Amino acid sequence: MSSDAIMWRATVLTLYPELFPGPLDASILGRGAAEGHWALDTVNIRDFSDNKYGSVDDTPAGGGAGLVMRADIMANAIDSVPRNDRRIIYLSPRGKPLTQAMAHDLSREPGLIAICGRFEGLDERIFEARQVEEVSIGDFVLAGGEIAAMALIEACVRLIPGVLGSASSLGEESFEGGLLEYPQYTRPREFEGRAIPEVLLSGDHKRIAEWRDEKRKEITRTRRPDLWERFSTDGPIRRSNNKEPKT
């Protein structure tokens, strides 16, 4: 990596910095960091507590169960981080869904600042006050945002040039072009009476490409009818036309 290149950087604001880097330090992601393609740092939100107990939350206005993370403490944590044109993302079930198109967009930006919530979430005022956008990794609830932040960061980092061993494989992955990936096979040629499809052993690259394309369509149609409907209506997705707007 050239010395004048801008490194993609993720900063994670969390109550549990000891959870990082975790799996982000393994395999191709760890190697990519070691080679200088990207970097990760954490900020402990408790460092900005205004009391000796290190608490960062309080009871919800209007009553109700649980605790809410305070806007003033969170603002101080956010303000301690150089933004450098990075988007601030709060991992939240009510956020817009994380998509491959969003990951591509983020991977081309300077990086991101991820906020990991706990308890009942953040005081609503912080979103407008610090231009925080909400992103969801699925229709389910976790105990905190740390695992979701790791998923978001991994989805972006693997798309950074130089991180993945073979960039050519990216174009045929699930969601690229709006379809799921085709089935994969390797040795042995036969496994418990199940053989590799003959077309894949034919050496006929045109037939293989056609078979894979049909399988992508078949799998998408049967397993993700929502994606298939979008593909049938709009055709293959062009990433350049799917820029996620900043908030």
Side-chain angles (χ1 to χ4, degrees):
M1 189 173 187
S2 63
S3 59
D4 59 346
I6 298 175
M7 182 187 297
W8 194 94
R9 179 174 293 275
T11 299
V12 180
L13 279 61
T14 172
L15 295 175
Y16 300 98
E18 65 272 16
L19 296 179
F20 293 86
L24 298 175
D25 194 37
S27 188
I28 60 170
L29 304 182
R31 184 169 64 246
E35 293 174 352
H37 296 293
W38 76 285
L40 170 71
D41 55 85
T42 59
V43 172
N44 190 336
I45 300 170
R46 291 195 191 279
D47 289 344
F48 300 88
S49 173
D50 61 358
N51 61 78
K52 64 180 181 181
Y53 303 106
S55 61
V56 299
D57 48 34
D58 209 333
T59 55
L67 297 165
V68 178
M69 297 179 73
R70 287 170 44 179
D72 55 344
I73 292 175
M74 184 57 65
N76 288 336
I78 293 172
D79 293 345
S80 74
V81 177
R83 185 155 184 179
N84 297 331
D85 296 321
R86 293 181 294 171
R87 292 153 73 173
I88 304 175
I89 296 174
Y90 173 56
L91 285 305
S92 164
R94 72 178 193 177
K96 57 189 174 186
L98 172 61
T99 64
Q100 191 72 357
M102 184 191 298
H104 272 286
D105 291 338
L106 286 167
S107 73
R108 292 191 289 263
E109 296 180 7
L112 60 87
I113 300 169
I115 300 175
C116 302
R118 286 274 164 172
F119 316 117
E120 297 303 312
L122 307 186
D123 184 307
E124 188 69 19
R125 293 169 293 182
I126 196 66
F127 296 104
E128 181 178 354
R130 293 299 183 273
Q131 296 82 53
V132 178
E133 60 181 287
E134 295 180 82
V135 170
S136 170
I137 65 166
D139 295 342
F140 51 88
V141 178
L142 299 172
E146 285 76 16
I147 290 176
M150 291 178 188
L152 170 63
I153 293 169
E154 176 168 342
C156 298
V157 167
R158 62 187 302 278
L159 299 173
I160 297 172
V163 172
L164 195 65
S166 175
S168 61
S169 65
L170 291 174
E172 297 180 342
E173 292 183 324
S174 290
F175 309 113
E176 297 296 338
L179 297 172
L180 300 180
E181 191 175 9
Y182 51 77
Q184 298 279 11
Y185 299 86
T186 188
R187 293 183 296 175
R189 184 165 181 160
E190 184 172 313
F191 168 70
E192 296 185 353
R194 298 167 177 84
I196 296 176
E198 284 299 324
V199 64
L200 298 179
L201 306 174
S202 67
D204 188 328
H205 298 296
K206 183 174 183 295
R207 284 182 58 211
I208 291 171
E210 291 173 346
W211 182 88
R212 286 174 169 170
D213 185 59
E214 284 303 312
K215 287 297 181 181
R216 293 191 74 192
K217 292 175 179 176
E218 176 186 330
I219 289 172
T220 304
R221 185 171 57 248
T222 56
R223 300 184 187 180
R224 288 292 303 274
D226 58 321
L227 292 179
W228 178 250
E229 181 178 0
R230 192 181 314 157
F231 178 83
S232 301
T233 302
D234 301 333
I237 293 175
R238 301 285 187 260
R239 285 199 300 271
S240 59
N241 294 330
N242 283 271
K243 182 73 174 178
E244 293 284 346
K246 291 187 179 181
T247 56

